[in-house]
Amino acid sequence: MGSNPLSALTSTKPTALPTQDQDDQDSPSSKALLSFSTDSSDSSSPSSSSSSHKALFIILIFITCIALSTSFAFAFLYFSSNPPTPSISSLLARPLSKLNRPVVLLVSSDGFRFGYQFKVPTPHISRLIANGTEAEAGLIPVFPSLTFPNHYSIATGLYPAYHGIINNHFSDPVSGEAFYMGSHDPKWWLGEPLWETVVNNGLKAATYFWPGSEVKKGLWTCPFNYCRQYNASVSFEERVDTVLGYFDLPDDQIPDFMTLYFEDPDHQGHKVGADDPEITEAVARIDTMMGRLIRGLEQRGVFDDVSIIMVGDHGMVGTCDKKLIFLDDLAPWIDVQKDWVVTHTPVLAIRPPSGHDATDVVAKMNEGLSSGKVQNGKFLKVYLKENLPSRLHYAASDRIAPIIGLIEEGFKVEQQRTKRQECGGSHGYDNAVFSMRTIFIGHGPQFARGKKIPSFENVEIYNLVTSILKIKGAANNGSSSFAESVLLSSA
């Protein structure tokens, strides 16, 4: 592509200087060019002529050194700002050596905040990064940056308003029925998750503890031994070994798509925040599990064939009771009843009863919050859901309450004052907050080695997986061009 960058140096390449032996063999006319004197009547002695030639030779050597130094400097600047055009072979996916078809293993480390990989040596995660593709400033979760909405967005490529899991807990506004994290009725789970897409395309899928994977949808029946019901007591080692066992099956029975889920370091983060030694230990343990996975794949000769995509669902930030906002403090402006509130923190969701205009409720709440008379009131802003920033994509569902409050990073909303004093960690805040970012690492035949890509929202991952597997995906909120910009071309 373009002209050869080396051609730019041709015009500055110095010509070779003649040696002293060559000078002695030069013709009279060429010797005259090296003389300082053009006066033919001046009869110089041989010694003076030799001295002048030596002086001129030294000057020419000096000029040549300057020219060479300039050329090297120019070349360095040119190639540092204009790297050589990659060869065609380096842009192509690496061929499979043992597997007969692409296989994707999607691994989630819950609550793995971007930057945790620097808290402790992580040789195995670092190996995946060095030999794969990484989101250089982290993966952006969807809003709200909570576990179930984000895991299901990764699986479907849809924002929560479209896949239906708008929070970890919520209620249906018509039936009043409550959704909780153990709800497996398909009426809650909209969209088409990857495991369903895979089987719809005649391929095989296996899931290990991915939110929503236990739900029977379409052709996906959560098959025995290929779909694990969530059980937190199952050791991480057993989870890894079970996934590795799939690669011991006959070639035509190896699942084309697999998921693997770890609760850590989210579990520790909620207890101690993002900067405690417990987090360091949890991150080290996750790295150990990735090492166990890599070794197992290497022993089976398939490590370089498998596309490993390692992600988190959200980040984590420290919280403390000094960062509280109490709804009861708004009483001079409006009495926000407890039964109006669907969720308090980290997303304030309010569904006022009939007879209370939502617009009026929002206006009065914001008046009180901005008055300077409500403790920490400036750290909460309340919206009609249709007036939320459009980048949040959090309006197009009746399951979303009509009033949503955005809480500043690290703050919490409670109904009334208590004597409870606690510190810990939380997530769920605006996905523009950097502490909510998590990790994305892609390693495998179609991921370039050592490549850094800009941060992106996790709804793009669905199309990434379907592109690797070369299958047709369902409609989603990701961009069709994203996979092309990240993956190496197929040969």
Side-chain angles (χ1 to χ4, degrees):
M1 295 174 60
S3 59
N4 183 351
L6 293 176
S7 64
L9 300 180
T10 304
S11 61
T12 60
K13 182 177 179 181
T15 56
L17 288 172
T19 64
Q20 189 65 38
D21 291 337
Q22 288 175 324
D23 283 344
D24 293 340
Q25 298 171 5
D26 279 342
S27 65
S29 60
S30 63
K31 286 183 178 179
L33 293 174
L34 300 178
S35 173
F36 286 111
S37 174
T38 57
D39 186 357
S40 58
S41 62
D42 186 9
S43 57
S44 301
S45 66
S47 61
S48 63
S49 175
S50 175
S51 298
S52 64
H53 287 177
K54 289 180 180 179
L56 180 58
F57 182 75
I58 293 171
I59 292 172
L60 289 174
I61 290 290
F62 179 72
I63 293 172
T64 301
C65 290
I66 294 175
L68 284 170
S69 299
T70 303
S71 297
F72 285 128
F74 173 78
F76 174 78
L77 292 173
Y78 179 86
F79 285 111
S80 63
S81 60
N82 298 279
T85 303
S87 64
I88 296 297
S89 61
S90 68
L91 299 176
L92 295 178
R94 297 177 288 280
L96 301 179
S97 60
K98 186 169 183 178
L99 296 177
N100 296 323
R101 61 191 186 281
V103 171
V104 174
L105 173 55
L106 180 60
V107 182
S108 170
S109 177
D110 200 322
F112 198 116
R113 173 174 164 171
F114 179 75
Y116 276 0
Q117 66 270 37
F118 306 120
K119 293 178 73 69
V120 64
T122 51
H124 307 296
I125 293 174
S126 296
R127 178 181 175 184
L128 294 177
I129 292 172
N131 294 287
T133 298
E134 179 194 26
E136 190 169 19
L139 179 66
I140 302 171
V142 295
F143 178 82
S145 48
L146 296 167
T147 296
F148 268 53
N150 274 275
H151 274 96
Y152 206 52
S153 283
I154 292 169
T156 61
L158 296 170
Y159 292 111
Y162 300 96
H163 65 52
I165 309 303
I166 55 101
N167 204 305
N168 288 340
H169 307 275
F170 58 93
S171 298
D172 182 272
V174 177
S175 68
E177 190 176 354
F179 171 87
Y180 62 100
M181 290 187 284
S183 298
H184 295 156
D185 192 322
K187 70 182 180 183
W188 296 110
W189 305 83
L190 310 179
E192 184 179 291
L194 280 163
W195 42 88
E196 183 182 356
T197 298
V198 168
V199 297
N200 285 349
N201 281 269
L203 303 181
K204 294 180 176 61
T207 58
Y208 213 126
F209 298 175
W210 197 279
S213 62
E214 305 99 324
V215 179
K216 297 178 180 179
K217 287 177 85 296
L219 296 179
W220 175 253
T221 60
C222 191
F224 181 72
N225 284 339
Y226 287 88
C227 173
R228 303 286 170 157
Q229 301 288 328
Y230 181 70
N231 182 352
S233 67
V234 178
S235 72
F236 288 1
E237 289 81 2
E238 182 177 340
R239 301 179 198 189
V240 171
D241 292 347
T242 299
V243 169
L244 289 172
Y246 291 134
F247 292 96
D248 296 328
L249 297 172
D251 288 348
D252 61 348
Q253 294 181 35
I254 297 174
D256 304 87
F257 173 72
M258 311 175 204
T259 70
L260 178 60
Y261 171 80
F262 303 114
E263 295 90 348
D264 293 354
D266 181 73
H267 175 70
Q268 294 81 3
H270 281 290
K271 294 191 301 181
V272 299
D275 301 305
D276 190 270
E278 277 195 49
I279 295 295
T280 303
E281 295 172 6
V283 170
R285 186 183 181 206
I286 293 297
D287 186 70
T288 299
M289 291 304 104
M290 295 307 294
R292 188 183 188 96
L293 177 66
I294 291 170
R295 284 192 301 275
L297 293 174
E298 286 180 324
Q299 290 166 1
R300 292 161 174 81
V302 296
F303 174 59
D304 289 328
D305 284 2
V306 178
S307 293
I308 300 174
I309 299 176
M310 183 179 182
V311 299
D313 53 344
H314 55 70
M316 185 69 67
V317 68
T319 58
C320 244
D321 277 354
K322 65 181 180 180
K323 292 186 173 182
L324 294 178
I325 304 162
F326 302 100
L327 295 181
D328 282 358
D329 288 354
L330 292 170
W333 294 270
I334 185 171
D335 185 11
V336 180
Q337 297 291 318
K338 183 178 180 179
D339 59 2
W340 295 13
V341 183
V342 181
T343 56
H344 285 87
T345 291
V347 179
L348 176 63
I350 297 174
R351 194 180 295 276
S354 58
H356 290 80
D357 180 64
T359 302
D360 184 56
V361 172
V362 168
K364 289 179 178 177
M365 288 185 69
N366 282 330
E367 182 182 353
L369 292 167
S370 61
S371 68
K373 299 178 181 179
V374 173
Q375 178 182 328
N376 295 322
K378 65 181 180 179
F379 299 109
L380 170 64
K381 179 70 181 295
V382 182
Y383 297 84
L384 292 172
K385 67 178 180 182
E386 58 267 27
N387 293 334
L388 283 166
S390 59
R391 61 181 173 77
L392 298 177
H393 304 280
Y394 200 65
S397 173
D398 290 339
R399 296 176 181 179
I400 300 172
I403 298 173
I404 298 295
L406 296 185
I407 307 168
E408 288 291 325
E409 175 185 24
F411 285 82
K412 298 190 294 183
V413 171
E414 294 186 358
Q415 189 69 35
Q416 59 189 11
R417 296 179 182 275
T418 65
K419 294 182 179 180
R420 185 178 71 251
Q421 295 291 319
E422 63 180 22
C423 291
S426 190
H427 53 88
Y429 300 99
D430 188 338
N431 63 346
V433 176
F434 196 82
S435 62
M436 294 299 101
R437 291 195 184 186
T438 182
I439 57 169
F440 171 88
I441 307 163
H443 181 282
Q446 285 190 253
F447 290 103
R449 294 188 172 104
K451 182 177 180 179
K452 306 296 183 185
I453 59 175
S455 297
F456 61 92
E457 285 190 314
N458 62 24
V459 292
E460 303 286 3
I461 294 174
Y462 178 92
N463 288 339
L464 201 63
V465 173
T466 58
S467 294
I468 294 172
L469 295 178
K470 299 179 174 61
I471 59 176
K472 181 177 176 55
N476 60 81
N477 296 127
S479 57
S480 58
S481 61
F482 178 77
E484 296 176 6
S485 69
V486 173
L487 298 176
L488 297 172
S489 300
S490 299

